[in-house]
Amino acid sequence: MQNETKRKKILLGIGVLLAICLIIGVSYAYWRLVLYQTGENEVASSCFSITLTNEQNAINLQKAYPILDEEGKKLTPYQS
């Protein structure tokens, strides 16, 4: 008899915990705010000035991987 009441209390406790988790999960999904960007990024800086003179020759990096600074200094720089 005592084992049966103990088992019922354990099952009741598990049920209450599952119900609380379900309520928290549904509440989180309901009130979660999701924002999506629709426009382009615009960057403004007062530290330095950049002027794009030739937008036709874009820099394309295909199959690029990180290299050390010393190796990068040996490469030919991009010039427009």
Side-chain angles (χ1 to χ4, degrees):
M1 188 78 167
Q2 188 178 14
N3 286 338
E4 189 174 321
T5 57
K6 187 176 181 180
R7 184 173 181 222
K8 285 183 180 181
K9 287 182 182 181
I10 291 174
L11 289 176
L12 180 64
I14 291 173
V16 169
L17 287 176
L18 286 175
I20 291 172
C21 289
L22 181 66
I23 290 170
I24 291 172
V26 170
S27 298
Y28 174 75
Y30 182 73
W31 284 306
R32 194 176 103 182
L33 177 64
V34 178
L35 301 174
Y36 296 101
Q37 179 176 347
T38 58
E40 295 181 358
N41 289 334
E42 294 183 12
V43 178
S45 175
S46 61
C47 298
F48 59 95
S49 176
I50 296 177
T51 304
L52 298 175
T53 57
N54 186 359
E55 294 185 31
Q56 300 299 324
N57 296 331
I59 298 174
N60 294 321
L61 299 175
Q62 296 176 356
K63 297 183 181 178
Y65 54 91
I67 60 173
L68 297 173
D69 288 341
E70 293 79 23
E71 295 174 15
K73 290 178 183 178
K74 295 177 186 175
L75 299 175
T76 307
Y78 173 80
Q79 295 178 352
S80 58

